[in-house]
Amino acid sequence: MRIKICGIKRVEDAIMAAYCGADAIGLVVGQKHNSDDFIDKDLAQKIVKECPPYISPVLVTELDDAEEISNLAHKIGVTSIQLHSDCTVDSIISLRKILPHIKIIKNFHVNGFEVIQAMKPFESVVDAFILDTLDLANDKVGGTGLVHDWNISRSIVKKISKPVLLAGGLTPENVGEAIRFVKPFGVDASSGLKDCDGFKDEIKLINFICSAKYEFFKVRDPSLKN
């Protein structure tokens, strides 16, 4: 089980996520839609430099130009890129040529079973997929706090060959159920872990990560269910 905490906006939250047991943090840079989680590239670079060892910083971006994305990833110093744009297979191939050693994760919004066919052409060019919920009313493509149909997500996990991470409205209260039902490779949360000030809440972080890891081990080892 891999756990990513997205929408990190300050060094303190990155360190807190790492010490609570997160595997990765998401830095949202390169904006085309609404979000409270966007930060500039200089702050993102600072957060990456201050990250403890053994945690992966991920560039989460809505940009779709391969050269622009690669320049941003190089400046910030990330190890993975999460694409929340309408980029094509060819643009991802171009990005891979520029950054052959960086992991690429492609976002898809779960709005019907037809998303499975839309994902298929990308299987050969990405390292993983992340499933999220679209919020058209507020022009948000991520960090919406909205849960989608997990029946579709579970079907995607079974039918797609690459690792699938689950996002979209995950909280400390529902992440265990999500893992039991969908059985994803990992989970990703942002808005469900915020305090009233818009930054991450330590108690929510601890509860989310503990619940996710505990449920994952129950799924992997049925003897732990009793």
Side-chain angles (χ1 to χ4, degrees), residues 1 179 184-185 211-221:
M1 168 59 59
I179 292 168
F185 173 80
S211 295
K213 292 191 174 184
Y214 177 66
E215 196 58 50
F216 171 73
F217 285 116
K218 282 170 61 180
V219 168
R220 297 290 294 175
D221 185 354

Side-chain angles (χ1 to χ4, degrees), residues 135-195:
D135 183 2
L136 287 174
N138 294 298
D139 190 33
K140 288 186 176 183
V141 298
T144 65
L146 301 176
V147 177
H148 55 257
D149 187 344
W150 289 343
N151 288 290
I152 303 172
S153 297
R154 181 167 66 173
S155 183
I156 291 170
V157 169
K158 292 177 180 178
K159 295 179 180 180
I160 292 294
S161 62
K162 291 296 176 71
V164 175
L165 297 99
L166 183 67
L170 295 182
T171 66
E173 292 73 31
N174 68 9
V175 68
E177 181 186 358
I179 292 168
R180 282 195 304 275
F181 191 78
V182 179
K183 296 181 174 60
F185 173 80
V187 290
D188 188 340
S190 179
S191 58
L193 305 180
K194 287 181 180 179
D195 200 349

